[in-house]
Amino acid sequence: MIWNENKECMSVDARRELQSKRLHRVVEYVYHNVPFYRSKLQEADVTPDDIRSVDDIVKLPFTTKQDLRDNYPFGLTAAPRSEIIRIHASSGTTGNPTIVGYTRKDISVWSECMARCLTSYGITRNDIFSVAYGYGLFTGGLGVHYGVENLGAAVVPASTGSTEKHVRLLKDLGVTGIACTPSYALHLAETMEKMGIAKEDLKLRSGAFGAEPWTENMRHEIENRLGIKAFNLYGLSEIMGPCVSYECDAQNGSHINEDHYFPEIIDPETLSPLPCGQSGELVFTTLTKEGMPLLRYRTRDLCTLYDTPCECGRTSIRMGKILGRSDDMLIIRGINVFPSQVESVILSMPECAPHYLLIVDRAGNLDTLTVQVEVRPEFFAQGFDTFEPIIRLEKELSARIKSVLSIGVKVEVKQPGTLARSEGKNRFVIDNRKLK
Ligand code: ADP
Ligand code: ZN
C-alpha cells in the first residue's frame, strides 16, 4: 500500500519541477530570515533569483553541524518565535547540543512523511503500533508517534526502559507493529526468551528500525527472533527526524521523501557532487521546512543513491545502507558520541594524562563503552598507585562522562605508560561490534 500516491509515485519530471520551485522558495526564505544564510549567500555572490532549478543547487553553500553549534540555540531558526511549537535536540554532541525548532506545518509534514513510511511497512489503521524509541528531546519517540496517529493506527508510547513491562504489553494488547533501534529489538527478543514468551505468543508482524547502522545479519536475526518483517527507517534531527527515508517491500534501498528533503552525494574531500551509483557523503536540503530550513546540510553519513526504478511503484530516489561516517562519530545505544567529548572530560581532570582509549563492544545486544585512561606520573607517584584513589577517580570520571554523553560508561584508570600511543586519526577507538 502507498500512503500518498500523488507524491510518492509522481513522474520524475513533475517531481523535479516541484523541487525546483520549492528550492527557489526556500533560498528566498532563508535569505530574508536567517542572517547566517544571507551572509553566506552574499559571500558566494548568489541571490535567490540565481536558483531557478535543482541544477542550480551546486551554487549554494554547504551547512555543517559546526554551523548549528556556532549559532546555538536559535541562530538558524527562520520562523518567528511565536510560530515554533516544538523543540528537539540531537543527542550527545560536542559542546552545544543541536537544537531544532518546528512550526505547526513542520510537524504536519513530518507526520505526513512518517505515515508514508509506516504504510510502506504494511501498517494500517487496524494496527496497534508500539513506539519503543526514547521519548523526549530525541526525535525518535515523538516523531514516529505522530506518524502513527496521523495514519490512524493505535499508538502505544512504550518508549525505552522497562523492557519486561513492554514485552507483557506486546503480548496482552496484541501489538502488531513496532519501531525501535535494531539493537533494542534484539534486546527485546532476549528479554522475551528470559520471560518464557515465544514469538508465537505475540501478534507482531512488522517493525521499523533505525537511528543507528545495522546489517543484513541483524535484520535476519530480528526477523527470526521476533517473527516479523524488519524495515529500515532513516532520519536525522537536523533535517526532521525519523521519516527522511524508508524501505518498501522490495528492500533494495530506502526511498527518500524527496519532495521535502532533496538529496545529493558529494565527495567528502573535494566536496564535488557525485552521480547516482557512486558512494560518498549524503547531503540534504530541506525544501519545505519553516522552523529551521537547511541548505546542503552535510550529514557525514556515507552511502550511495539509486535512481533506478523500483518494483513497488514509488518513483523516488533510494539510498543504500549507511556505509560509515566521514567524521569520527560513534553511535552507542542510539546516542551520537564523539571521542572528543570524552577527551574534553578527561582533560578537565588534573589527575588524567591525555592518553586514553575508547573500547566499544556489544554485550548481549546492548552497546557498552569502556574508557581506559592513564593517570599522570606525578599523581601516580603521590598515592595513585594504590587502590582507593584510583577507584575514586574512576567513579568521578564515569559520572562526569555520563553527564556529558547520557550513557553509562566503565572507566579503567591505568598506570602511566601502559596504553599504546596513537599514531594519526581515529586510533583512540576500538569498535568491537561486528557490524559488517
Ligand atoms: P539522534 O537521532 O541520535 O538524536 P541524530 O538525529 O543526530 O541523533 O542522528 C542521526 C544519525 O543517526 C544519522 O545521521 C545516521 O548517522 C544515524 N542513523 C539514523 N537512522 C539510521 C539508519 N536507519 N541506518 C543507519 N544510520 C542511521
Ligand atoms: Zn520501492
Side-chain angles (χ1 to χ4, degrees), residues 65 90-91 138-139 209-214 232-238 299 301 322 325 329 331 334 336:
K65 206 173 183 90
S90 177
S91 58
F138 173 57
T139 52
F209 304 103
E212 65 186 14
W214 55 311
N232 188 45
L233 171 62
Y234 169 89
L236 63 166
S237 37
E238 292 85 346
T299 65
D301 289 325
I322 303 296
R325 304 262 316 164
M329 187 182 91
I331 300 184
N336 302 348

mmCIF file of all heavy atoms in Angstrom, residues 65 90-91 138-139 209-214 232-238 299 301 322 325 329 331 334 336, ligand 1:
data_model
loop_
_atom_site.group_PDB
_atom_site.id
_atom_site.type_symbol
_atom_site.label_atom_id
_atom_site.label_comp_id
_atom_site.label_asym_id
_atom_site.label_seq_id
_atom_site.Cartn_x
_atom_site.Cartn_y
_atom_site.Cartn_z
ATOM 1 N N LYS A 65 27.356 20.711 10.918
ATOM 2 C CA LYS A 65 26.917 20.644 12.313
ATOM 3 C C LYS A 65 27.581 21.764 13.116
ATOM 4 O O LYS A 65 26.982 22.318 14.031
ATOM 5 C CB LYS A 65 27.277 19.280 12.905
ATOM 6 C CG LYS A 65 26.386 18.874 14.045
ATOM 7 C CD LYS A 65 26.683 17.445 14.484
ATOM 8 C CE LYS A 65 25.757 16.997 15.575
ATOM 9 N NZ LYS A 65 24.510 16.355 15.153
ATOM 10 N N SER A 90 19.470 17.200 19.309
ATOM 11 C CA SER A 90 20.166 15.984 18.906
ATOM 12 C C SER A 90 20.936 15.451 20.095
ATOM 13 O O SER A 90 21.457 16.205 20.913
ATOM 14 C CB SER A 90 21.098 16.305 17.755
ATOM 15 O OG SER A 90 21.811 15.156 17.410
ATOM 16 N N SER A 91 21.000 14.120 20.179
ATOM 17 C CA SER A 91 21.699 13.506 21.305
ATOM 18 C C SER A 91 23.178 13.791 21.223
ATOM 19 O O SER A 91 23.718 13.988 20.147
ATOM 20 C CB SER A 91 21.458 12.011 21.273
ATOM 21 O OG SER A 91 21.899 11.502 20.043
ATOM 22 N N PHE A 138 15.097 13.632 22.040
ATOM 23 C CA PHE A 138 15.398 12.773 20.900
ATOM 24 C C PHE A 138 14.169 12.716 19.977
ATOM 25 O O PHE A 138 13.038 12.607 20.444
ATOM 26 C CB PHE A 138 15.749 11.382 21.453
ATOM 27 C CG PHE A 138 15.927 10.311 20.431
ATOM 28 C CD1 PHE A 138 16.844 10.440 19.405
ATOM 29 C CD2 PHE A 138 15.181 9.128 20.518
ATOM 30 C CE1 PHE A 138 17.009 9.427 18.470
ATOM 31 C CE2 PHE A 138 15.352 8.111 19.590
ATOM 32 C CZ PHE A 138 16.267 8.273 18.563
ATOM 33 N N THR A 139 14.403 12.786 18.672
ATOM 34 C CA THR A 139 13.276 12.875 17.737
ATOM 35 C C THR A 139 12.558 11.543 17.505
ATOM 36 O O THR A 139 11.441 11.529 16.976
ATOM 37 C CB THR A 139 13.764 13.380 16.356
ATOM 38 O OG1 THR A 139 14.866 12.560 15.957
ATOM 39 C CG2 THR A 139 14.187 14.821 16.416
ATOM 40 N N PHE A 209 13.048 -0.062 11.938
ATOM 41 C CA PHE A 209 14.269 0.015 12.734
ATOM 42 C C PHE A 209 15.247 1.017 12.136
ATOM 43 O O PHE A 209 15.426 1.078 10.917
ATOM 44 C CB PHE A 209 14.916 -1.372 12.831
ATOM 45 C CG PHE A 209 13.961 -2.402 13.382
ATOM 46 C CD1 PHE A 209 13.342 -3.317 12.542
ATOM 47 C CD2 PHE A 209 13.638 -2.405 14.725
ATOM 48 C CE1 PHE A 209 12.425 -4.236 13.037
ATOM 49 C CE2 PHE A 209 12.722 -3.315 15.240
ATOM 50 C CZ PHE A 209 12.124 -4.239 14.397
ATOM 51 N N GLY A 210 15.864 1.799 13.018
ATOM 52 C CA GLY A 210 16.824 2.796 12.541
ATOM 53 C C GLY A 210 17.423 3.550 13.703
ATOM 54 O O GLY A 210 17.417 3.070 14.835
ATOM 55 N N ALA A 211 17.953 4.728 13.426
ATOM 56 C CA ALA A 211 18.666 5.609 14.373
ATOM 57 C C ALA A 211 20.110 5.167 14.588
ATOM 58 O O ALA A 211 20.879 5.867 15.227
ATOM 59 C CB ALA A 211 17.946 5.755 15.713
ATOM 60 N N GLU A 212 20.462 4.000 14.061
ATOM 61 C CA GLU A 212 21.845 3.528 14.139
ATOM 62 C C GLU A 212 22.063 2.552 12.984
ATOM 63 O O GLU A 212 21.095 1.988 12.453
ATOM 64 C CB GLU A 212 22.090 2.825 15.484
ATOM 65 C CG GLU A 212 21.274 1.549 15.628
ATOM 66 C CD GLU A 212 21.373 0.888 16.995
ATOM 67 O OE1 GLU A 212 21.862 1.537 17.937
ATOM 68 O OE2 GLU A 212 20.955 -0.276 17.105
ATOM 69 N N PRO A 213 23.308 2.366 12.567
ATOM 70 C CA PRO A 213 23.552 1.440 11.450
ATOM 71 C C PRO A 213 23.234 0.001 11.847
ATOM 72 O O PRO A 213 23.397 -0.369 13.001
ATOM 73 C CB PRO A 213 25.053 1.592 11.196
ATOM 74 C CG PRO A 213 25.500 2.777 11.965
ATOM 75 C CD PRO A 213 24.527 2.980 13.070
ATOM 76 N N TRP A 214 22.769 -0.779 10.905
ATOM 77 C CA TRP A 214 22.551 -2.208 11.141
ATOM 78 C C TRP A 214 22.821 -2.980 9.868
ATOM 79 O O TRP A 214 22.926 -2.399 8.796
ATOM 80 C CB TRP A 214 21.170 -2.477 11.736
ATOM 81 C CG TRP A 214 19.967 -1.950 10.987
ATOM 82 C CD1 TRP A 214 19.794 -0.692 10.497
ATOM 83 C CD2 TRP A 214 18.762 -2.660 10.689
ATOM 84 N NE1 TRP A 214 18.554 -0.570 9.923
ATOM 85 C CE2 TRP A 214 17.900 -1.758 10.025
ATOM 86 C CE3 TRP A 214 18.323 -3.963 10.927
ATOM 87 C CZ2 TRP A 214 16.618 -2.132 9.589
ATOM 88 C CZ3 TRP A 214 17.057 -4.315 10.498
ATOM 89 C CH2 TRP A 214 16.219 -3.415 9.839
ATOM 90 N N ASN A 232 13.914 -0.793 7.199
ATOM 91 C CA ASN A 232 14.794 0.302 7.591
ATOM 92 C C ASN A 232 14.030 1.623 7.636
ATOM 93 O O ASN A 232 13.158 1.893 6.810
ATOM 94 C CB ASN A 232 15.949 0.417 6.587
ATOM 95 C CG ASN A 232 16.998 1.414 7.046
ATOM 96 O OD1 ASN A 232 17.389 1.418 8.208
ATOM 97 N ND2 ASN A 232 17.424 2.281 6.158
ATOM 98 N N LEU A 233 14.395 2.447 8.616
ATOM 99 C CA LEU A 233 13.840 3.801 8.768
ATOM 100 C C LEU A 233 15.023 4.714 9.056
ATOM 101 O O LEU A 233 15.782 4.468 9.991
ATOM 102 C CB LEU A 233 12.854 3.816 9.944
ATOM 103 C CG LEU A 233 12.335 5.178 10.404
ATOM 104 C CD1 LEU A 233 11.545 5.867 9.295
ATOM 105 C CD2 LEU A 233 11.441 5.010 11.638
ATOM 106 N N TYR A 234 15.206 5.737 8.221
ATOM 107 C CA TYR A 234 16.369 6.614 8.384
ATOM 108 C C TYR A 234 15.930 8.058 8.584
ATOM 109 O O TYR A 234 14.932 8.503 7.997
ATOM 110 C CB TYR A 234 17.266 6.521 7.141
ATOM 111 C CG TYR A 234 18.354 7.579 7.074
ATOM 112 C CD1 TYR A 234 19.600 7.357 7.655
ATOM 113 C CD2 TYR A 234 18.122 8.803 6.444
ATOM 114 C CE1 TYR A 234 20.603 8.326 7.608
ATOM 115 C CE2 TYR A 234 19.114 9.774 6.382
ATOM 116 C CZ TYR A 234 20.351 9.525 6.969
ATOM 117 O OH TYR A 234 21.333 10.491 6.919
ATOM 118 N N GLY A 235 16.690 8.756 9.384
ATOM 119 C CA GLY A 235 16.433 10.183 9.525
ATOM 120 C C GLY A 235 17.448 10.818 10.435
ATOM 121 O O GLY A 235 18.239 10.127 11.080
ATOM 122 N N LEU A 236 17.441 12.136 10.482
ATOM 123 C CA LEU A 236 18.312 12.859 11.406
ATOM 124 C C LEU A 236 17.602 14.126 11.842
ATOM 125 O O LEU A 236 16.815 14.697 11.087
ATOM 126 C CB LEU A 236 19.694 13.154 10.785
ATOM 127 C CG LEU A 236 19.803 14.041 9.571
ATOM 128 C CD1 LEU A 236 21.259 14.438 9.381
ATOM 129 C CD2 LEU A 236 19.318 13.333 8.325
ATOM 130 N N SER A 237 17.862 14.498 13.085
ATOM 131 C CA SER A 237 17.078 15.590 13.658
ATOM 132 C C SER A 237 17.264 16.900 12.907
ATOM 133 O O SER A 237 16.317 17.669 12.762
ATOM 134 C CB SER A 237 17.397 15.759 15.137
ATOM 135 O OG SER A 237 18.743 15.534 15.388
ATOM 136 N N GLU A 238 18.469 17.158 12.422
ATOM 137 C CA GLU A 238 18.707 18.432 11.736
ATOM 138 C C GLU A 238 17.767 18.605 10.538
ATOM 139 O O GLU A 238 17.329 19.704 10.229
ATOM 140 C CB GLU A 238 20.158 18.513 11.230
ATOM 141 C CG GLU A 238 21.190 18.616 12.336
ATOM 142 C CD GLU A 238 21.605 17.266 12.890
ATOM 143 O OE1 GLU A 238 20.919 16.242 12.611
ATOM 144 O OE2 GLU A 238 22.614 17.221 13.612
ATOM 145 N N THR A 299 25.488 15.521 6.158
ATOM 146 C CA THR A 299 25.100 14.565 7.204
ATOM 147 C C THR A 299 26.299 13.809 7.770
ATOM 148 O O THR A 299 26.198 13.244 8.847
ATOM 149 C CB THR A 299 24.140 13.488 6.662
ATOM 150 O OG1 THR A 299 24.845 12.704 5.687
ATOM 151 C CG2 THR A 299 22.902 14.108 6.035
ATOM 152 N N ASP A 301 27.063 11.064 6.814
ATOM 153 C CA ASP A 301 26.766 9.654 6.548
ATOM 154 C C ASP A 301 27.235 9.304 5.140
ATOM 155 O O ASP A 301 26.960 10.036 4.189
ATOM 156 C CB ASP A 301 25.247 9.405 6.647
ATOM 157 C CG ASP A 301 24.746 9.475 8.074
ATOM 158 O OD1 ASP A 301 25.489 9.054 8.985
ATOM 159 O OD2 ASP A 301 23.612 9.946 8.281
ATOM 160 N N ILE A 322 23.767 2.850 5.202
ATOM 161 C CA ILE A 322 24.836 3.750 5.628
ATOM 162 C C ILE A 322 26.118 2.917 5.769
ATOM 163 O O ILE A 322 26.154 1.932 6.492
ATOM 164 C CB ILE A 322 24.489 4.421 6.982
ATOM 165 C CG1 ILE A 322 23.164 5.169 6.888
ATOM 166 C CG2 ILE A 322 25.611 5.334 7.438
ATOM 167 C CD1 ILE A 322 23.148 6.322 5.933
ATOM 168 N N ARG A 325 30.874 6.785 8.327
ATOM 169 C CA ARG A 325 30.785 8.212 8.563
ATOM 170 C C ARG A 325 32.039 8.882 8.022
ATOM 171 O O ARG A 325 33.107 8.291 8.013
ATOM 172 C CB ARG A 325 30.711 8.504 10.067
ATOM 173 C CG ARG A 325 29.588 7.808 10.799
ATOM 174 C CD ARG A 325 28.396 8.666 10.994
ATOM 175 N NE ARG A 325 28.707 10.017 11.431
ATOM 176 C CZ ARG A 325 27.826 11.023 11.366
ATOM 177 N NH1 ARG A 325 26.621 10.825 10.892
ATOM 178 N NH2 ARG A 325 28.161 12.218 11.773
ATOM 179 N N MET A 329 32.294 10.190 14.453
ATOM 180 C CA MET A 329 31.165 9.976 15.366
ATOM 181 C C MET A 329 30.841 8.493 15.517
ATOM 182 O O MET A 329 30.815 7.755 14.552
ATOM 183 C CB MET A 329 29.917 10.714 14.856
ATOM 184 C CG MET A 329 28.763 10.665 15.830
ATOM 185 S SD MET A 329 27.289 11.489 15.192
ATOM 186 C CE MET A 329 26.456 10.118 14.395
ATOM 187 N N ILE A 331 27.953 5.736 17.144
ATOM 188 C CA ILE A 331 26.580 5.691 17.648
ATOM 189 C C ILE A 331 26.523 4.562 18.660
ATOM 190 O O ILE A 331 26.725 3.397 18.327
ATOM 191 C CB ILE A 331 25.564 5.506 16.514
ATOM 192 C CG1 ILE A 331 25.695 6.680 15.527
ATOM 193 C CG2 ILE A 331 24.135 5.449 17.062
ATOM 194 C CD1 ILE A 331 24.688 6.688 14.411
ATOM 195 N N GLY A 334 22.252 4.182 20.273
ATOM 196 C CA GLY A 334 21.439 5.179 19.583
ATOM 197 C C GLY A 334 21.873 6.614 19.871
ATOM 198 O O GLY A 334 21.295 7.556 19.353
ATOM 199 N N ASN A 336 24.616 9.712 19.738
ATOM 200 C CA ASN A 336 25.810 10.136 18.996
ATOM 201 C C ASN A 336 26.935 10.466 19.969
ATOM 202 O O ASN A 336 26.762 11.285 20.861
ATOM 203 C CB ASN A 336 25.512 11.383 18.181
ATOM 204 C CG ASN A 336 24.380 11.158 17.205
ATOM 205 O OD1 ASN A 336 23.969 10.026 16.985
ATOM 206 N ND2 ASN A 336 23.884 12.227 16.626
HETATM 207 P P1 ADP B 1 19.754 11.139 17.379
HETATM 208 O O1 ADP B 1 18.724 10.663 16.375
HETATM 209 O O2 ADP B 1 20.652 10.059 17.874
HETATM 210 O O3 ADP B 1 19.365 12.225 18.307
HETATM 211 P P2 ADP B 1 20.557 12.332 15.111
HETATM 212 O O4 ADP B 1 19.221 12.631 14.627
HETATM 213 O O5 ADP B 1 21.558 13.399 15.083
HETATM 214 O O6 ADP B 1 20.648 11.892 16.543
HETATM 215 O O7 ADP B 1 21.129 11.009 14.459
HETATM 216 C C1 ADP B 1 21.059 10.856 13.110
HETATM 217 C C2 ADP B 1 22.113 9.892 12.664
HETATM 218 O O8 ADP B 1 21.782 8.564 13.077
HETATM 219 C C3 ADP B 1 22.202 9.816 11.165
HETATM 220 O O9 ADP B 1 22.980 10.847 10.642
HETATM 221 C C4 ADP B 1 22.836 8.442 10.975
HETATM 222 O O10 ADP B 1 24.230 8.502 11.187
HETATM 223 C C5 ADP B 1 22.208 7.629 12.087
HETATM 224 N N1 ADP B 1 21.054 6.883 11.579
HETATM 225 C C6 ADP B 1 19.759 7.209 11.682
HETATM 226 N N2 ADP B 1 18.975 6.283 11.090
HETATM 227 C C7 ADP B 1 19.801 5.337 10.590
HETATM 228 C C8 ADP B 1 19.615 4.138 9.846
HETATM 229 N N3 ADP B 1 18.412 3.686 9.522
HETATM 230 N N4 ADP B 1 20.725 3.452 9.471
HETATM 231 C C9 ADP B 1 21.956 3.893 9.790
HETATM 232 N N5 ADP B 1 22.204 5.010 10.495
HETATM 233 C C10 ADP B 1 21.142 5.730 10.892
#
